[in-house]
Short mmCIF file of all heavy atoms in Angstrom, two decimals:
data_model
loop_
_atom_site.label_atom_id
_atom_site.label_comp_id
_atom_site.label_asym_id
_atom_site.label_seq_id
_atom_site.Cartn_x
_atom_site.Cartn_y
_atom_site.Cartn_z
N ARG A 199 8.84 80.50 -4.90
CA ARG A 199 8.97 79.54 -3.80
C ARG A 199 8.87 80.25 -2.45
O ARG A 199 8.25 79.73 -1.51
CB ARG A 199 10.30 78.80 -3.91
CG ARG A 199 10.54 77.86 -2.74
CD ARG A 199 11.81 77.06 -2.90
NE ARG A 199 11.68 76.14 -4.02
CZ ARG A 199 12.66 75.36 -4.45
NH1 ARG A 199 13.84 75.43 -3.89
NH2 ARG A 199 12.47 74.53 -5.45
N ALA A 200 9.47 81.43 -2.34
CA ALA A 200 9.41 82.16 -1.07
C ALA A 200 7.96 82.52 -0.73
O ALA A 200 7.54 82.42 0.43
CB ALA A 200 10.26 83.42 -1.16
N ILE A 201 7.18 82.94 -1.73
CA ILE A 201 5.77 83.24 -1.49
C ILE A 201 5.01 81.97 -1.13
O ILE A 201 4.18 81.95 -0.22
CB ILE A 201 5.15 83.90 -2.74
CG1 ILE A 201 5.84 85.22 -3.05
CG2 ILE A 201 3.65 84.14 -2.52
CD1 ILE A 201 5.42 85.84 -4.37
N SER A 202 5.31 80.87 -1.83
CA SER A 202 4.65 79.60 -1.55
C SER A 202 4.90 79.16 -0.11
O SER A 202 3.99 78.64 0.56
CB SER A 202 5.15 78.52 -2.52
OG SER A 202 4.63 77.26 -2.20
N GLU A 203 6.11 79.35 0.38
CA GLU A 203 6.42 78.96 1.75
C GLU A 203 5.58 79.74 2.75
O GLU A 203 5.17 79.22 3.79
CB GLU A 203 7.91 79.15 2.02
CG GLU A 203 8.79 78.12 1.29
CD GLU A 203 10.27 78.41 1.44
OE1 GLU A 203 10.61 79.48 1.99
OE2 GLU A 203 11.08 77.58 1.00
N GLN A 204 5.32 81.01 2.43
CA GLN A 204 4.44 81.80 3.31
C GLN A 204 3.04 81.21 3.33
O GLN A 204 2.42 81.07 4.39
CB GLN A 204 4.38 83.25 2.82
CG GLN A 204 5.68 84.02 2.96
CD GLN A 204 5.52 85.42 2.41
OE1 GLN A 204 5.15 85.61 1.26
NE2 GLN A 204 5.79 86.41 3.23
N VAL A 205 2.53 80.88 2.15
CA VAL A 205 1.18 80.34 2.05
C VAL A 205 1.09 78.98 2.75
O VAL A 205 0.15 78.72 3.52
CB VAL A 205 0.76 80.21 0.58
CG1 VAL A 205 -0.60 79.50 0.47
CG2 VAL A 205 0.69 81.58 -0.08
N MET A 206 2.06 78.11 2.52
CA MET A 206 2.03 76.79 3.15
C MET A 206 2.14 76.92 4.67
O MET A 206 1.57 76.12 5.42
CB MET A 206 3.16 75.91 2.61
CG MET A 206 3.04 75.58 1.14
SD MET A 206 1.50 74.75 0.70
CE MET A 206 1.51 74.91 -1.09
N GLY A 207 2.85 77.92 5.15
CA GLY A 207 2.92 78.17 6.59
C GLY A 207 1.56 78.51 7.17
O GLY A 207 1.21 78.05 8.27
N LEU A 208 0.77 79.29 6.43
CA LEU A 208 -0.58 79.60 6.89
C LEU A 208 -1.45 78.35 6.92
O LEU A 208 -2.26 78.16 7.83
CB LEU A 208 -1.21 80.65 5.96
CG LEU A 208 -0.57 82.04 5.98
CD1 LEU A 208 -1.20 82.93 4.92
CD2 LEU A 208 -0.71 82.69 7.36
N LEU A 209 -1.28 77.48 5.91
CA LEU A 209 -2.06 76.25 5.88
C LEU A 209 -1.70 75.33 7.05
O LEU A 209 -2.58 74.72 7.67
CB LEU A 209 -1.83 75.51 4.56
CG LEU A 209 -2.26 76.24 3.29
CD1 LEU A 209 -2.01 75.36 2.07
CD2 LEU A 209 -3.72 76.66 3.36
N ARG A 210 -0.41 75.24 7.35
CA ARG A 210 0.02 74.37 8.47
C ARG A 210 -0.43 74.92 9.81
O ARG A 210 -0.46 74.19 10.80
CB ARG A 210 1.53 74.18 8.42
CG ARG A 210 1.98 73.39 7.19
CD ARG A 210 3.47 73.08 7.21
NE ARG A 210 3.85 72.42 5.98
CZ ARG A 210 4.40 73.02 4.93
NH1 ARG A 210 4.66 74.32 4.98
NH2 ARG A 210 4.69 72.35 3.84
N GLY A 211 -0.75 76.21 9.85
CA GLY A 211 -1.32 76.77 11.06
C GLY A 211 -2.75 76.31 11.30
O GLY A 211 -3.27 76.41 12.41
N LEU A 212 -3.39 75.78 10.24
CA LEU A 212 -4.75 75.28 10.36
C LEU A 212 -4.80 73.81 10.74
O LEU A 212 -5.73 73.37 11.43
CB LEU A 212 -5.50 75.48 9.04
CG LEU A 212 -5.82 76.91 8.62
CD1 LEU A 212 -6.43 76.92 7.22
CD2 LEU A 212 -6.79 77.55 9.61
N SER A 213 -3.82 73.04 10.22
CA SER A 213 -3.89 71.59 10.43
C SER A 213 -2.53 70.96 10.20
O SER A 213 -1.74 71.45 9.38
CB SER A 213 -4.90 70.98 9.45
OG SER A 213 -4.86 69.57 9.48
N PRO A 214 -2.24 69.86 10.89
CA PRO A 214 -1.00 69.14 10.62
C PRO A 214 -1.08 68.34 9.31
O PRO A 214 -0.06 67.92 8.78
CB PRO A 214 -0.85 68.19 11.81
CG PRO A 214 -2.26 67.97 12.28
CD PRO A 214 -2.97 69.27 12.03
N LEU A 215 -2.30 68.13 8.79
CA LEU A 215 -2.48 67.38 7.56
C LEU A 215 -2.62 68.35 6.39
O LEU A 215 -3.73 68.77 6.02
CB LEU A 215 -3.70 66.46 7.64
CG LEU A 215 -3.57 65.28 8.61
CD1 LEU A 215 -4.81 64.40 8.54
CD2 LEU A 215 -2.32 64.47 8.32
N VAL A 216 -1.49 68.71 5.81
CA VAL A 216 -1.42 69.57 4.63
C VAL A 216 -0.71 68.78 3.54
O VAL A 216 0.39 68.28 3.75
CB VAL A 216 -0.66 70.89 4.92
CG1 VAL A 216 -0.52 71.72 3.64
CG2 VAL A 216 -1.37 71.68 6.01
N GLU A 217 -1.34 68.66 2.39
CA GLU A 217 -0.78 67.89 1.27
C GLU A 217 -0.51 68.83 0.10
O GLU A 217 -1.39 69.09 -0.71
CB GLU A 217 -1.75 66.79 0.85
CG GLU A 217 -1.21 65.90 -0.26
CD GLU A 217 -2.17 64.78 -0.61
OE1 GLU A 217 -3.06 64.46 0.21
OE2 GLU A 217 -2.03 64.21 -1.71
N PRO A 218 0.71 69.36 -0.02
CA PRO A 218 1.03 70.25 -1.15
C PRO A 218 1.05 69.45 -2.45
O PRO A 218 1.58 68.33 -2.50
CB PRO A 218 2.42 70.77 -0.81
CG PRO A 218 2.65 70.46 0.64
CD PRO A 218 1.85 69.23 0.90
N LEU A 219 0.49 70.02 -3.50
CA LEU A 219 0.52 69.40 -4.82
C LEU A 219 1.52 70.10 -5.73
O LEU A 219 2.03 69.51 -6.67
CB LEU A 219 -0.87 69.44 -5.46
CG LEU A 219 -2.00 68.79 -4.65
CD1 LEU A 219 -3.31 68.90 -5.40
CD2 LEU A 219 -1.67 67.33 -4.35
N SER A 220 1.77 71.36 -5.47
CA SER A 220 2.73 72.16 -6.22
C SER A 220 2.99 73.42 -5.41
O SER A 220 2.51 73.54 -4.27
CB SER A 220 2.19 72.50 -7.62
OG SER A 220 1.03 73.30 -7.50
N LEU A 221 3.70 74.38 -5.97
CA LEU A 221 3.97 75.62 -5.25
C LEU A 221 2.70 76.38 -4.92
O LEU A 221 2.65 77.13 -3.95
CB LEU A 221 4.90 76.52 -6.07
CG LEU A 221 6.36 76.10 -6.22
CD1 LEU A 221 7.10 77.12 -7.08
CD2 LEU A 221 7.03 75.96 -4.87
N ASP A 222 1.66 76.20 -5.72
CA ASP A 222 0.48 77.06 -5.60
C ASP A 222 -0.79 76.31 -5.23
O ASP A 222 -1.88 76.87 -5.30
CB ASP A 222 0.25 77.80 -6.92
CG ASP A 222 -0.09 76.85 -8.06
OD1 ASP A 222 0.41 75.72 -8.04
OD2 ASP A 222 -0.83 77.26 -8.97
N GLU A 223 -0.68 75.05 -4.83
CA GLU A 223 -1.88 74.24 -4.65
C GLU A 223 -1.69 73.25 -3.52
O GLU A 223 -0.62 72.64 -3.39
CB GLU A 223 -2.17 73.51 -5.96
CG GLU A 223 -3.46 72.74 -6.00
CD GLU A 223 -3.65 72.05 -7.34
OE1 GLU A 223 -2.75 72.11 -8.21
OE2 GLU A 223 -4.71 71.41 -7.51
N ALA A 224 -2.73 73.04 -2.69
CA ALA A 224 -2.62 72.10 -1.58
C ALA A 224 -3.99 71.72 -1.06
O ALA A 224 -4.96 72.47 -1.19
CB ALA A 224 -1.79 72.70 -0.45
#
Side-chain angles (χ1 to χ4, degrees):
R199 176 176 293 176
I201 299 172
S202 175
E203 289 174 352
Q204 292 178 304
V205 174
M206 296 302 166
L208 293 174
L209 298 182
R210 293 186 184 98
L212 292 174
S213 172
L215 291 184
V216 176
E217 183 177 341
L219 304 180
S220 63
L221 289 179
D222 65 328
E223 186 180 4

